[in-house]
Structure formats: structure tokens, C-alpha cells
């Protein structure tokens, strides 16, 4: 909670951590963000020149699933990030202090880092009846997020609830829940949706904020393009079966056992933008489609309310047949020319270097 | 009655993650060939990230088989393990980064004289030089 005068490079060298660790950390981040590996040394140098970033992490109307997921980041680990590169000044679930002392710590961190701290939020915010449905320490979360946002450098909404309202905002939305960017409109906000979100996205976003001093490039839903530019379908290992028209028609038929495409069982992969098809969960162990279940579309707005998880896209509310056909066509193009495509993404990130 | 008495047979079915090569490995070898030409002609170090490509187990096997093993192998201990080996093609290095829990963190093919993780950083050498002169002073002082 004090001003950190040393650069991260100096601070860590005192602990006997060499620059090779920076290089390695950045190699992991660059890998998950499709940042050209050639930029890793520059990124590591820049991270070593940065100073420890004050981070305030708020839990609002949420289920703690997001933090469960994020603490299972493997490449690089979130512990590595928290212990070495940021100063996590407030987090309900992780901090030792409790009650008034915890709130005091929060106020101190805000005062000392006013205008510079980064706010991470998981959970939606209820608006109905002045937000009375979600309260901590006598303050509604609506008041809390407004107060915190005022002194924040930027806000990262973690999970689908903080990004789009998520489960809290599902019909009939009894608390009038919304995502953070519907309340705060005058600060840079980044959405990292997913139920839960990919841990590598958070380590990637925070590291690029530290190394490049800015939040990464985003799509129209404020999601970092490095992770959300492609659909699940674009990168799905079962894509070859889709292209050949081989589908599972029930969860225990011949097709399911052979690992055929789950489109007819309601997979939302073609319209869902996320990175789990390549990053996977639990350190690369598996991800929903690999375990034999279609994608639920958890990183898209209102995914709970878009008909059944088990109805094929063509029968649901996920967009017109045309939109789906386009997604499929884009997928085919990508499959055929993925090298070209990823090069183009890389150029965008590196400014063509 | 124990669990064993219940006549349930678990059939995991065939491995769903296709183990056959997808063609991606061949495309990658082509890319490596281009990079190797660039470096051979005096160009900068080139790096191919393997972690975010949809490579199947079969693709990895094919890559390992085709690239083979060369003269150099090294293990680096810095925030967990990093394994480096030169492939049978001089200048083409395989670098595997693992995190503290020994889970794979990133995997790259580096084409150049020496992988960057093996090089000492100038700032670290600077700190090392300062520490070393202190060590020298202390040793001299203690011997008198």
C-alpha cells in the first residue's frame, strides 16, 4: 500500500529473480495473446521498467466462480502476476484483513493511488430500488462502483455478469442487474466475459496494461480482440467433422462416440467469440467441447435467455440463418488460411512491425 | 455389496482429440524453412509460437520426428523449468517453457544462433558485475 519507487526489474532482482523470468512470463502471455513472439524481449524489457500497479478487485453480485477460474491460471500463473507485478490492494476472497480493516485498506489504496489504480470487477450491479439488492459494508454496489470508478485509471469487467449482466440479468431479472459499462461511461472499460472467463485472458490483459501502458485493442463489445476475435468454431478441433457434414445426433450415439461435430446438439460455437478452443481450461487439460458437450455461448451477451442450450443454432434466437452461414463461411476461410489470418492479427497488435 | 458388484461397464470410446496429423505440421515446416532461409541470409531471430495453433498430438509427433535432435540440450531454472534443445537442423531450436507447477506455459521454435532464454540480460550482467567486485573485496579483506 505504499508508493513503489523501484522498477519491477530492480525489485525482483533484489529477490534474486533474473530477467529470464520476465522473458519467460512474457513468452507465456504472448503465446496466449497471439502477440508475435519476436516482440517478447521488448515486452519483457518494458515490463521490467514498469512499476508495481495498484489493483483493486471488487466482487459484486456474483458467485465467486470467476475467481475460482482465475486462480487456476497456468500460463503464466496468476500468483506469479499478483506476487511479482501488481499490488493487489483489495480483494474480498483473497485478502487476510476483514471487516472495517479491509474497508480501511481499500480507502487507503484509493487515496494513495487516486487516478492510477486499476479496478477489476466481477459480478453485475442491480439498479432496481436504488441497488438495495446487493450491499457490502452498508454501501450498495451501485454507490461503490461509482465511487471507485472516479479515481480509476481503467476498469476491467471480469466474467459475463460484470460485462453484460450475465446470470443476474437473466429473465425476469428481479434486481434490475446490468453490466459495469452500463453504469460507468467515462472511463476506459474492458470486458472479459465468460462463465467462467479464461484465466489467461486476465493475466494477458494485466500484463499488457503493465508493459504497454494501455488496455489492449477491443471489439464492439469491448472484449480484447487478441482473445475474442475468433469464434470457438473457427478454432475447434471438431471443425473437420462439421466441414464433412458428420454430426452427433444424441449424446450417446455413434457420432458422439466418434467425436463428431456437436452443432445439432445445440453447440453455439459458430457464434461465440472466445479463446477456450485453443487455451482450454485447467492448464490445458480440457474444455467443454472436448468433454463432449456443445458450447453454451457463455461469453456472449444474454446467453442464458437465448432459448435452449440443446437446440441447434438454426432453430434458436442466436441470429439469422444468414449470420450463421456467414460465420461458417468465415470459418472455412480461416481454416484454409489460418496462417495468413493470424499474421494479420499479429500485424494489428504490433502496428505492422 | 460394493461398487464392484454393480455391473456397469465404462466405455470411454475412442480418444476424441484427433491424434492424426491435420496438415498443420506440414504448413509449419514450410514456415520454419522460410525463417531458416531468412536467418541463414543474415536476418534477425525468428520465432514460431506453437501454443496457440490447433496442432493435434499427431502433428506434434510428426514435427518432433521430422526436426529430430541436434547437438545441444539445456535446462534453465528460472520461475520453473525451461527446456531447450537444438533440432537436427542447426539454428532451429525447440524451446519449452514450464511454470512453477511444471505445467506447460508456452512452446516455441526459435530460429537463430542461440535461444533468447539462454542469453544473459545486460542488466543482470551489470548487477552481477557489481556483486562480483564486492565478493572480490570481501575475499581480499578476509585473507588479511
Amino acid at each position: 500500500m505504499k508508493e513503489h519507487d523501484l522498477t519491477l526489474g530492480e525489485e525482483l532482482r533484489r529477490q534474486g529473480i533474473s530477467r529470464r523470468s520476465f522473458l519467460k512470463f512474457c513468452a507465456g502471455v504472448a503465446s496466449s495473446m497471439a502477440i508475435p513472439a519476436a516482440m517478447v524481449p521488448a515486452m519483457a524489457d518494458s515490463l521490467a521498467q514498469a512499476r508495481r500497479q495498484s489493483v483493486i478487485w471488487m466482487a459484486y453480485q456474483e458467485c465467486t466462480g470467476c475467481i475460482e477460474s482465475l486462480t487456476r491460471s497456468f500460463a503464466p500463473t496468476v500468483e506469479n502476476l499478483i506476487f511479482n507485478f501488481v499490488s493487489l490492494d483489495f480483494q474480498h476472497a483473497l485478502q487476510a484483513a476483514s471487516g472495517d480493516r479491509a474497508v480501511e485498506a481499500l480507502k487507503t489504496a484509493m487515496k494513495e493511488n487516486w487516478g492510477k489504480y486499476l479496478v477489476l470487477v466481477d459480478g453485475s450491479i442491480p439498479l432496481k430500488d436504488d441497488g438495495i439488492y446487493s450491499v457490502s459494508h452498508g454501501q450498495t454496489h451501485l454507490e461503490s462502483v461509482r465511487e471507485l470508478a472516479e479515481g480509476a485509471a481503467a476498469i476491467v469487467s471480469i466474467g459475463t455478469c460484470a460485462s453484460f449482466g450475465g446470470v443476474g440479468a437473466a429473465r425476469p431479472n428481479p434486481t434490475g442487474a446490468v453490466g459495469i459499462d452500463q453504469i460507468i461511461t467515462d472511463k476506459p472499460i474492458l470486458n472479459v466475459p465468460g462463465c467462467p472467463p479464461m484465466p489467461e485472458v486476465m493475466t494477458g490483459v494485466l500484463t499488457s496494461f503493465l508493459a504497454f501502458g494501455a488496455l489492449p485493442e477491443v471489439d464492439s463489445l469491448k472484449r480484447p480482440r487478441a482473445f475474442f476475435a475468433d469464434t470457438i468454431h473457427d478454432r475447434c478441433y471438431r471443425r473437420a467433422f462439421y466441414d464433412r457434414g458428420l454430426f452427433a445426433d444424441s449424446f450417446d450415439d455413434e457420432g458422439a462416440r466418434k467425436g463428431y461435430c456437436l452443432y445439432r446438439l445445440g453447440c453455439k460455437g459458430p457464434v461465440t467469440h472466445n479463446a477456450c478452443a485453443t487455451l482450454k481450461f485447467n492448464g490445458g487439460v480440457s474444455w467443454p467441447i472436448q468433454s463432449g458437450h456443445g458450447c453454451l455461448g457463455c461469453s456472449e451477451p444474454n446467453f442464458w435467455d437465448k432459448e435452449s442450450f440443446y437446440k441447434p443454432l438454426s432453430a434458436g434466437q442466436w441470429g439469422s440463418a444468414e449470420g450463421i452461414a456467414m460465420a461458417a463461411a468465415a470459418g472455412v476461410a480461416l481454416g484454409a488460411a489460418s496462417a495468413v489470418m493470424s499474421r494479420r492479427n499479429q500485424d494489428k497488435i504490433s502496428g505492422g512491425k | 455389496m460394493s461398487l464392484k458388484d454393480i455391473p456397469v461397464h465404462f466405455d470411454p470410446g475412442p480418444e476424441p482429440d484427433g491424434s492424426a496429423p491435420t496438415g498443420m505440421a506440414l504448413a509449419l515446416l514450410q514456415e520454419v524453412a522460410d525463417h531458416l532461409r531468412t536467418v541463414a541470409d543474415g536476418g534477425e531471430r525468428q520465432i514460431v509460437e506453437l501454443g496457440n495453433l490447433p496442432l493435434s498430438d499427431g502433428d506434434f509427433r510428426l514435427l518432433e520426428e521430422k526436426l529430430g535432435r541436434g547437438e545441444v540440450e539445456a535446462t534453465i531454472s528460472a520461475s520453473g523449468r525451461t527446456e531447450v534443445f537444438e533440432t537436427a537442423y542447426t539454428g532451429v531450436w525447440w524451446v519449452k517453457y514450464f511454470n512453477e507447477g511444471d505445467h506447460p506455459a508456452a512452446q516455441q521454435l526459435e530460429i537463430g544462433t542461440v535461444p533468447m532464454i539462454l542469453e544473459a540480460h545486460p542488466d543482470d550482467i551489470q548487477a552481477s558485475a557489481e556483486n562480483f567486485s564486492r565478493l572480490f573485496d570481501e575475499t581480499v579483506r578476509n585473507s588479511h
Side-chain angles (χ1 to χ4, degrees):
Chain A
M1 328 252 145
K2 55 185 183 309
E3 281 288 320
H4 297 276
D5 298 326
L6 295 176
T7 64
L8 290 172
E10 291 163 345
E11 196 187 324
L12 293 189
R13 192 174 305 113
R14 287 190 178 185
Q15 300 168 28
I17 296 175
S18 78
R19 292 291 283 272
R20 286 196 182 97
S21 294
F22 281 83
L23 197 69
K24 191 173 175 183
F25 184 86
C26 290
V29 170
S31 160
S32 66
M33 290 187 81
I35 290 173
M39 282 181 71
V40 166
M43 192 177 173
D45 277 344
S46 171
L47 183 62
Q49 294 308 315
R51 278 164 174 82
R52 209 170 258 268
Q53 169 69 40
S54 167
V55 172
I56 294 171
W57 186 343
M58 302 304 287
Y60 292 137
Q61 188 163 260
E62 49 88 45
C63 72
T64 315
C66 290
I67 190 169
E68 286 288 341
S69 170
L70 297 180
T71 50
R72 279 154 188 75
S73 170
F74 286 85
T77 63
V78 84
E79 299 95 277
N80 197 326
L81 181 81
I82 289 173
F83 290 135
N84 292 339
F85 302 121
V86 303
S87 168
L88 186 58
D89 291 331
F90 186 82
Q91 211 293 333
H92 285 114
L94 298 180
Q95 69 189 355
S98 62
D100 290 342
R101 282 183 53 216
V103 176
E104 236 166 71
L106 170 65
K107 301 281 176 212
T108 311
M110 283 172 68
K111 205 160 67 183
E112 285 181 357
N113 302 289
W114 191 255
K116 287 183 289 186
Y117 58 79
L118 194 64
V119 178
L120 311 185
V121 175
D122 54 299
S124 59
I125 307 267
L127 294 181
K128 202 173 158 197
D129 301 325
D130 296 325
I132 198 69
Y133 300 104
S134 194
V135 173
S136 301
H137 204 255
Q139 189 185 36
T140 68
H141 292 161
L142 181 58
E143 288 167 343
S144 164
V145 78
R146 282 184 174 142
E147 196 180 298
L148 267 163
E150 223 186 309
I155 299 170
V156 180
S157 296
I158 295 168
T160 302
C161 293
S163 299
F164 309 129
V167 184
R171 274 198 299 266
N173 193 357
T175 67
V178 298
I180 306 306
D181 67 0
Q182 292 182 53
I183 298 167
I184 308 299
T185 50
D186 58 350
K187 290 282 172 180
I189 295 186
L190 191 93
N191 288 331
V192 181
C195 192
M198 304 291 308
E200 286 74 14
V201 181
M202 197 192 73
T203 42
V205 163
L206 290 186
T207 308
S208 59
F209 185 76
L210 290 174
F212 304 130
L215 293 174
E217 193 196 346
V218 296
D219 68 6
S220 61
L221 293 170
K222 302 192 182 80
R223 301 177 293 197
R225 288 184 51 83
F227 297 99
F228 293 91
D230 294 336
T231 67
I232 294 297
H233 193 59
D234 289 336
R235 296 273 171 155
C236 182
Y237 75 97
R238 294 195 189 211
R239 178 56 185 269
F241 295 114
Y242 175 91
D243 291 342
R244 279 148 55 196
L246 296 172
F247 299 98
D249 285 306
S250 83
F251 282 110
D252 56 0
D253 71 358
E254 180 80 10
R257 262 175 262 136
K258 284 184 171 162
Y260 288 175
C261 174
L262 300 165
Y263 178 87
R264 287 188 187 156
L265 292 172
C267 182
K268 307 297 185 281
V271 292
T272 302
H273 295 78
N274 207 343
C276 51
T278 44
L279 292 179
K280 303 187 181 182
F281 282 93
N282 295 316
V285 169
S286 187
W287 61 295
I289 289 174
Q290 193 177 337
S291 71
H293 194 288
C295 167
L296 301 182
C298 76
S299 56
E300 298 294 327
N302 307 320
F303 78 101
W304 280 96
D305 289 328
K306 289 183 175 169
E307 282 252 16
S308 165
F309 291 147
Y310 301 101
K311 270 192 192 165
L313 272 171
S314 47
Q317 299 180 7
W318 282 82
S320 61
E322 249 166 61
I324 293 159
M326 264 173 63
V332 171
L334 187 84
S338 68
V340 178
M341 195 68 183
S342 75
R343 177 66 56 211
R344 205 181 304 152
N345 276 345
Q346 292 175 358
D347 284 348
K348 226 176 258 170
I349 293 166
S350 64
K353 270 172 235 156
Chain B
M1 183 161 161
S2 75
L3 274 179
K4 281 182 191 148
D5 301 322
I6 304 172
V8 172
H9 172 63
F10 175 67
D11 176 11
E15 183 63 44
D17 211 339
S19 59
T22 62
M24 185 62 86
L26 286 175
L28 247 169
L29 289 175
Q30 188 62 50
E31 192 179 341
V32 172
D34 279 354
H35 288 328
L36 195 50
R37 182 37 54 203
T38 306
V39 173
D41 291 344
E44 275 180 31
R45 175 197 341 255
Q46 304 287 318
I47 303 170
V48 180
E49 175 58 53
L50 302 178
N52 51 23
L53 295 173
L55 291 166
S56 70
D57 296 345
D59 286 326
F60 271 105
R61 270 199 303 276
L62 189 70
L63 274 181
E64 279 170 12
E65 188 189 305
K66 295 292 171 199
L67 292 175
R69 288 268 183 163
E71 293 172 337
V72 186
E73 262 178 50
T75 305
I76 299 104
S77 305
S79 304
R81 198 160 53 89
T82 302
E83 275 178 20
V84 173
F85 65 86
E86 193 175 31
T87 68
Y89 296 87
T90 304
V92 180
W93 302 82
W94 198 310
V95 183
K96 298 178 182 181
Y97 297 99
F98 298 85
N99 68 20
E100 289 91 334
D102 222 26
H103 290 277
Q107 192 164 186
Q108 299 166 346
L109 292 178
E110 259 191 71
I111 299 100
T113 49
V114 67
M116 52 188 179
I117 190 79
L118 283 178
E119 290 175 356
H121 192 280
D123 288 2
D124 284 340
I125 298 179
Q126 192 68 40
S128 166
E130 282 160 27
N131 291 339
F132 203 88
S133 61
R134 212 171 303 141
L135 167 92
F136 185 74
D137 291 345
E138 275 168 23
T139 314
V140 171
R141 209 178 310 128
N142 291 343
S143 65
H144 285 294

